[in-house]
Amino acid sequence: MTEELTVTPPGAKLIEDFVNTNELDEPDGEKLREPAALSDWLEERDLLPAGARVTGDDLGTALAVREALRALLLANNGAPLDPRAVTTLNGAADRSRLRVSFSPSGRAELLPDEHDVPGALSRILAVTYTAMADESWERLKACRLDDCQWAFYDQSKNRSRTWCSMKVCGNRAKARAYRERQRGDA
């Protein structure tokens, strides 16, 4: 049994929530099917100004960024890193022109020069950068099962979780491995 160390940090939670807007193991698992759904999701998290216009192209870019982040989370869980994911994320960051800004309290943060969806996506990328810098990134993973790939924050003491849920995906993986071994012995 794994021991819970801490709650998921807010930045990691945002990345997790964004990646999980597509539940690969569900037939209707895509939550961002249209620009309005993306607009609502971003507005609910204060990433997009109310009333901002979201286009089909914006939706396509957001989905590409989401899947590129999923690829990075899979790499955190032992999969090879897909270089196309890095290219996609670099392109999104370039379009938003992220920059360092200091708040009145003297704290530094990454802010986009762009607004609307490119700015909202770059805020997610800025949170990704911060998670990498504060070492919470290594605990953010995607489930190894190809038909799941659910993003989760690994709270195990030794950072060894490979499935989003031992009860569901872990059990499926072990049952598949058992069936394969049985077929091999036959």
Side-chain angles (χ1 to χ4, degrees), residues 29-40:
E30 177 61 72
K31 293 182 178 43
L32 304 178
R33 292 184 185 275
E34 55 194 40
L38 175 62
S39 178
D40 290 346

Side-chain angles (χ1 to χ4, degrees), residues 7-106:
V7 296
T8 304
K13 181 73 174 134
L14 176 65
I15 297 163
E16 185 182 270
D17 289 349
F18 183 53
V19 170
N20 290 339
T21 59
N22 188 9
E23 296 180 48
L24 299 178
D25 62 344
E26 295 292 325
D28 293 325
E30 177 61 72
K31 293 182 178 43
L32 304 178
R33 292 184 185 275
E34 55 194 40
L38 175 62
S39 178
D40 290 346
W41 192 91
L42 293 171
E43 283 180 24
E44 287 169 8
R45 287 151 186 86
D46 294 321
L47 297 171
L48 188 69
R53 188 171 168 267
V54 179
T55 68
D57 287 345
D58 292 330
L59 177 61
T61 300
L63 298 180
V65 166
R66 179 191 66 198
E67 295 311 314
L69 286 170
R70 185 187 314 275
L72 264 61
L73 298 182
L74 286 167
N76 275 358
N77 205 357
L81 179 60
D82 182 351
R84 294 173 298 183
V86 173
T87 300
T88 297
L89 295 173
N90 280 333
D94 286 348
R95 283 188 296 281
S96 70
R97 296 188 304 270
L98 279 171
R99 62 182 170 77
V100 175
S101 180
F102 292 87
S103 70
S105 68

